[in-house]
Amino acid sequence: MEAKKVKINKRLDLARLPQHIAIIMDGNGRWATRRGLPRNMGHKAGCENLKVIVQHIYDLGIKCATFFVFSTENWRRPKEEIDGIFAVVRDYLNEDGDDFVKKGARIIVSGDYKKLPADIVETFEHLIDKTKDCTKFTLNLAVNYGARDEMLRGINMVVREGRELASPDEFEKYLYSSGLPPLDFVIRTSGEQRLSNFMLWQLAYSELYFTRTYWPSFSPKELQLALIDFQKRKRRFGAV
Ligand code: FPP
């Protein structure tokens, strides 16, 4: 997370930011193909952009951000591409890990990340443990994550405990996102308007924002425009 001052749009109200924002970082492959580059260069550029956007979210004072890094369905991609994605994840964790502790940022993972290569699992475990008491910001990385798997995992835990739950709030404790602030705002880049098995439980009342920009080109300036749009929404949560 390198600090680089970004001008704040005057229309953005810093007192009314979402508590928890999630981003589906789509369009890395198309970004690369457009430039005549291999798809994995798109993931590398996507990772560079993740650093910039995480820093900006942190600088704005938003408390929690979830990023969709690798889905349970992404295993269907060619091995070379999967290895490329894992390589950027590995570099990111190794290069930026210490910075998280310095910044008081906690790293957590949603998903069955233990199916990743052993060295990445080890690095994740090390960082999760090292940052567990950091309270300034939470970065939740969705890795080998699928919302249906997450819910099924929760249901199975409840069944194993022989319990019957009385409310949705009780079920939330069985999800990876347990303890995180409610998910206020979800952004998907690249023009696709679908949720692709992402945070299906958590986004029941989230505001959604779709942009045609490919993820590697999604700038802090555009993030601010998305947040301005969020601030114009009337959130009723089922009431009138
Ligand atoms: C979707 O674009 C992107 C992914 C499946 C991978 C996202 C991963 C990163 C940005 C790596 C950085 C993450 C960390 C934690 C270091 P796509 O490949 O589906 O693009 P396309 O739809 O244009 O083909």
Side-chain angles (χ1 to χ4, degrees):
M1 291 200 280
E2 310 133 18
K4 195 173 153 214
K5 278 276 157 273
V6 179
K7 238 172 102 178
I8 305 291
N9 189 313
K10 286 197 179 73
R11 288 182 294 144
L12 183 63
D13 180 352
L14 294 176
R16 289 195 311 116
L17 290 167
Q19 286 191 78
H20 182 179
I21 170 174
I23 305 188
I24 303 175
M25 307 178 282
D26 197 9
N28 291 346
R30 279 166 285 168
W31 179 93
T33 306
R34 274 261 180 102
R35 286 161 178 75
L37 298 168
R39 289 178 59 83
N40 276 338
M41 291 303 288
H43 298 310
K44 202 166 180 330
C47 180
E48 288 310 311
N49 200 45
L50 173 123
K51 295 183 193 177
V52 171
I53 296 295
V54 169
Q55 176 69 50
H56 193 53
I57 290 173
Y58 175 92
D59 287 343
L60 286 172
I62 293 172
K63 284 277 167 209
C64 180
T66 296
F67 286 83
F68 204 0
V69 176
F70 192 83
S71 77
T72 44
E73 288 73 30
N74 285 152
W75 294 105
R76 295 178 192 151
R77 294 188 179 208
K79 183 171 183 310
E80 191 191 341
E81 180 164 346
I82 295 173
D83 288 346
I85 295 173
F86 291 166
V88 295
V89 171
R90 177 182 289 113
D91 290 350
Y92 174 65
L93 298 178
N94 289 332
E95 284 162 21
D96 282 38
D98 286 341
D99 200 33
F100 278 97
V101 187
K102 267 187 241 144
K103 290 209 148 97
R106 175 170 70 127
I107 291 202
I108 58 168
V109 180
S110 286
D112 189 6
Y113 68 95
K114 300 208 171 161
K115 299 258 159 58
L116 267 65
D119 68 301
I120 301 183
V121 175
E122 228 174 83
T123 310
F124 265 130
E125 282 175 349
H126 173 70
L127 280 176
I128 292 166
D129 185 58
K130 208 167 154 190
T131 62
K132 66 179 188 303
D133 298 322
C134 297
T135 52
K136 198 159 173 212
F137 174 71
T138 299
L139 176 65
N140 178 27
L141 297 175
V143 181
N144 193 18
Y145 172 84
R148 290 173 172 180
D149 274 13
E150 176 184 39
M151 287 190 264
L152 206 55
R153 173 179 170 271
I155 290 166
N156 284 331
M157 285 195 256
V158 176
V159 169
R160 274 198 296 274
E161 288 175 15
R163 291 186 65 192
E164 188 172 321
L165 304 183
S167 70
D169 285 353
E170 281 188 23
F171 184 59
E172 282 191 349
K173 300 196 181 88
Y174 293 86
L175 298 175
Y176 292 118
S177 55
S178 171
L180 298 184
L183 179 55
D184 296 312
F185 194 36
V186 180
I187 296 173
R188 181 171 188 149
T189 57
S190 93
E192 311 296 349
Q193 298 195 15
R194 57 174 171 264
L195 297 166
S196 303
N197 199 16
F198 181 63
M199 309 282 277
L200 297 181
W201 175 277
Q202 295 85 346
L203 56 69
Y205 283 101
S206 307
E207 296 296 327
L208 308 179
Y209 184 90
F210 299 99
T211 168
R212 295 173 79 87
T213 307
Y214 294 146
W215 170 249
S217 305
F218 183 81
S219 62
K221 201 169 153 192
E222 190 171 356
L223 172 66
Q224 291 187 21
L225 293 177
L227 291 167
I228 291 166
D229 194 277
F230 168 82
Q231 291 179 338
K232 288 187 193 142
R233 315 264 181 105
K234 259 212 165 72
R235 304 187 74 197
R236 289 191 292 274
F237 300 97
V240 285

